Amino acid sequence: MTLDQFKYIYFLGIGGIGMSALARWFGVNGYTVVGYDKTPTTLTDALQAEGMTIHFTEDIDQIPAVFRENPAETLVIYTPAVPKTHAEYIYFIENGFTLQKRSQVLGLLAGQMTTIGVAGTHGKTTTSSMVAHILRDAGVNCAAFLGGITNNYGTNFLLNEPADNLRSVVCVVEADEFDRSFLTLFPTYAIVTSTDADHLDIYGAHDAVLESFSKFVSQIETDGVLFMKQGLSLSDKTKAEVRQYSLKGGDYYSQNLRIEQATFIFDLVYPQGVITDIQLMVPGFHNVENAVAAGAVALEVGVSPEAIRSALNTYRGVRRRFEYILKTDEAVLIDDYAHHPAEVQAFLSSVKALYPDRELTAIFQPHLFSRTRDFADGFAESLSLADNVILLDIYPARELPMEGVTSDLIFRNVHSKSKQKCTKEELSDVVRKMKPSLLVTIGAGDIDQLLPTLKSIVTYQ
């Protein structure tokens, strides 16, 4: 299958972060793009503003006639989050349309270019956006399909300049292990940040996660390079050259790391030299490590050390990744997407390092019943880094409730100075009474919808 045979592109689940990036690519490349999603969001608002037709009712009649009359010229791209009982999905299947998962189409697009695939159970969104920003800032012709909205560009998609030879274009792809989607990619260069147990509702066991990552790195081009976090066991799974990085060791690492005025400053050591005095506006020990990986692959594709320093100094992060919502002398409010114990631990330890003299209050919204069940003890241990913990109910996302699985599984083992549970509706009053000077919100659900209210409370308390 080639994309040249299609004129019309229909998205089932167009509002997802990955799907919307693909929709933008097709939109700017002259295809007619139409889509369905369950609910309107800021992402679907943006796509509609760009000229795409989107509807929010499961209704075959909403599919444009020109699509229904030309199944051979219509490509249907769907997300696994759309149930197989969906009326439009059934219609497309029964009427001979070509249906492809988002990951399959992304693999087709990326395969035409020189691809950098950024994978890992943690850190891939930040790391891939760092790579994309370095390349764009340095003038490299690149495209990027990212898993978050970059603050530098206000989008999850960067479009390359036209090129006679697409292999001359570098394509940065966030390689998602969920549903094994990254196995459609055959990158020239790859970064693997972590291979922890996650998505066990999909994989069943950690060994299956490791097997999937092994398959991914085996697909790196033989003359390519794998940049692997030091300590991972993937070196014997690939024919590509393997180089290791970490915060403190490997072929690429940081040194002279210090915190000045709530900014992480460090030197990036690489085999041929040192990039000194990088000032990372997005704080966190984990983000320094992500920057080391991004700098390593940028050096490999020919970006100069000076350009890497300049780009990292101006990198402003991704929405919901260590994002400052409020930062004054009186109060600080930070939001983070962390939804795995390792991510929560990395985030909270970095916040405490930045503000050692402030009492830290953390609001956590667990994400998925299965993840809460599988990692309850880990969440409790990580959250206990905070002085005060406020625990919300589980955000179900794609799952139905599971008997006996509630946020109580986490709550009972939290050992902070104070802890309490509440609903989203009760949260405002709880925070108002606590009057925190350092407040963080954590979770991959809809906790970010509460940020305007929380910002108002901590601003005027």
Side-chain angles (χ1 to χ4, degrees):
M1 187 191 85
T2 65
L3 297 176
D4 296 338
Q5 70 193 77
F6 302 106
K7 293 181 181 178
Y8 311 107
I9 312 295
Y10 193 92
F11 283 84
L12 271 174
I14 196 169
I17 195 74
M19 292 281 275
S20 61
L22 272 186
R24 286 192 165 102
W25 187 92
F26 282 104
V28 299
N29 281 282
Y31 294 83
T32 302
V33 179
V34 173
Y36 158 87
D37 212 289
K38 190 174 182 180
T39 55
T41 64
T42 53
L43 275 177
T44 57
D45 291 344
L47 296 178
Q48 288 173 310
E50 294 168 20
M52 299 179 202
T53 300
I54 302 174
H55 64 275
F56 304 96
T57 303
E58 185 177 333
D59 184 1
I60 295 169
D61 292 336
Q62 296 282 343
I63 302 169
V66 68
F67 282 63
R68 285 182 276 150
E69 294 165 1
N70 295 280
E73 296 179 303
T74 299
L75 173 62
V76 180
I77 305 174
Y78 69 98
T79 169
V82 172
K84 299 298 186 289
T85 56
H86 193 283
E88 294 179 24
Y89 178 86
I90 293 171
Y91 171 83
F92 288 125
I93 289 288
E94 291 181 345
N95 287 275
F97 286 79
T98 300
L99 283 83
Q100 295 278 289
K101 290 182 180 180
R102 179 198 67 88
S103 57
Q104 293 172 306
V105 178
L106 183 57
L108 285 173
L109 292 180
Q112 302 175 75
M113 298 175 266
T114 298
T115 301
I116 300 173
V118 183
T121 46
H122 326 299
K124 56 183 174 288
T125 299
T126 296
T127 306
S128 58
S129 66
M130 282 179 171
V131 174
H133 176 62
I134 293 171
L135 298 182
R136 178 58 58 92
D137 197 65
V140 176
N141 190 5
C142 70
F145 296 88
L146 308 171
I149 304 297
T150 61
N151 291 322
N152 287 88
Y153 306 101
T155 180
N156 57 334
F157 167 62
L158 299 182
L159 178 66
N160 59 283
E161 296 295 325
D164 293 332
N165 177 14
L166 279 176
R167 285 292 292 180
S168 68
V169 177
V170 180
C171 183
V172 183
V173 179
E174 179 171 332
D176 192 359
E177 77 280 359
F178 175 75
D179 198 35
R180 298 176 173 84
S181 295
F182 61 175
L183 298 185
T184 63
L185 299 172
F186 294 81
T188 306
Y189 308 102
I191 297 172
V192 178
T193 64
S194 50
T195 58
D196 291 344
D198 200 5
H199 302 301
L200 298 186
D201 56 322
I202 301 295
Y203 285 97
H206 190 195
D207 285 347
V209 177
L210 296 174
E211 181 182 349
S212 194
F213 275 95
S214 297
K215 176 66 174 173
F216 171 71
V217 300
S218 76
Q219 296 179 177
I220 302 171
E221 295 178 5
T222 55
D223 58 348
V225 182
L226 166 62
F227 297 87
M228 179 183 73
K229 182 176 176 179
Q230 189 177 44
L232 299 183
S233 300
L234 295 171
S235 297
D236 61 339
K237 309 299 182 183
T238 181
K239 295 179 181 178
E241 182 180 349
V242 178
R243 300 180 195 168
Q244 299 191 49
Y245 75 91
S246 76
L247 189 66
K248 297 181 179 179
D251 302 303
Y252 306 82
Y253 58 93
S254 67
Q255 68 178 16
N256 296 327
L257 175 59
R258 64 265 191 205
I259 300 173
E260 298 178 7
Q261 297 180 335
T263 299
F264 281 68
I265 303 173
F266 66 99
D267 303 336
L268 195 166
V269 180
Y270 62 101
Q272 290 78 37
V274 182
I275 306 174
T276 59
D277 296 326
I278 296 170
Q279 300 182 41
L280 199 60
M281 296 171 64
V282 180
F285 296 109
H286 55 303
N287 284 328
V288 171
E289 187 171 76
N290 293 335
V292 169
V297 75
L299 286 165
E300 184 64 24
V301 300
V303 180
S304 71
E306 294 76 17
I308 291 171
R309 180 197 296 111
S310 176
L312 287 174
N313 285 353
T314 59
Y315 173 75
R316 295 195 288 115
V318 180
R319 291 179 192 171
R320 301 224 59 221
R321 271 71 173 184
F322 215 116
E323 182 179 10
Y324 278 97
I325 308 302
L326 178 70
K327 186 179 182 182
T328 68
D329 291 340
E330 293 75 28
V332 173
L333 172 59
I334 307 171
D335 179 49
D336 197 87
Y337 192 73
H339 53 283
H340 184 281
E343 296 168 346
V344 174
Q345 190 276 335
F347 172 63
L348 290 179
S349 61
S350 295
V351 174
K352 287 174 70 69
L354 281 169
Y355 300 100
D357 299 326
R358 296 200 186 199
E359 191 169 88
L360 172 58
T361 300
I363 305 168
F364 180 57
Q365 181 189 48
H367 183 263
L368 294 177
F369 294 100
S370 59
R371 185 178 281 127
T372 302
R373 175 199 63 201
D374 294 335
F375 302 114
D377 290 345
F379 281 124
E381 182 178 356
S382 298
L383 288 168
S384 296
L385 289 171
D387 299 292
N388 311 300
V389 172
I390 303 171
L391 195 59
L392 300 179
D393 295 329
I394 297 170
Y395 182 80
R398 59 185 178 270
E399 292 183 337
L400 295 173
M402 295 180 178
E403 185 176 355
V405 178
T406 70
S407 57
D408 282 334
L409 295 178
I410 299 172
F411 185 78
R412 63 193 182 196
N413 289 321
V414 172
H415 300 296
S416 299
K417 185 176 74 173
S418 75
K419 63 179 181 178
Q420 57 185 306
K421 293 185 299 177
C422 71
T423 66
K424 289 189 296 183
E425 292 73 23
E426 297 167 335
L427 182 62
S428 296
D429 289 338
V430 169
V431 173
R432 194 173 285 110
K433 292 175 182 177
M434 295 182 72
K435 298 182 178 180
S437 64
L438 177 58
L439 179 65
V440 300
T441 53
I442 312 169
D446 61 358
I447 191 172
D448 58 312
Q449 295 179 6
L450 306 174
L451 290 171
T453 299
L454 294 174
K455 180 180 179 180
S456 176
I457 292 171
V458 297
T459 299
Y460 299 109
Q461 61 189 6

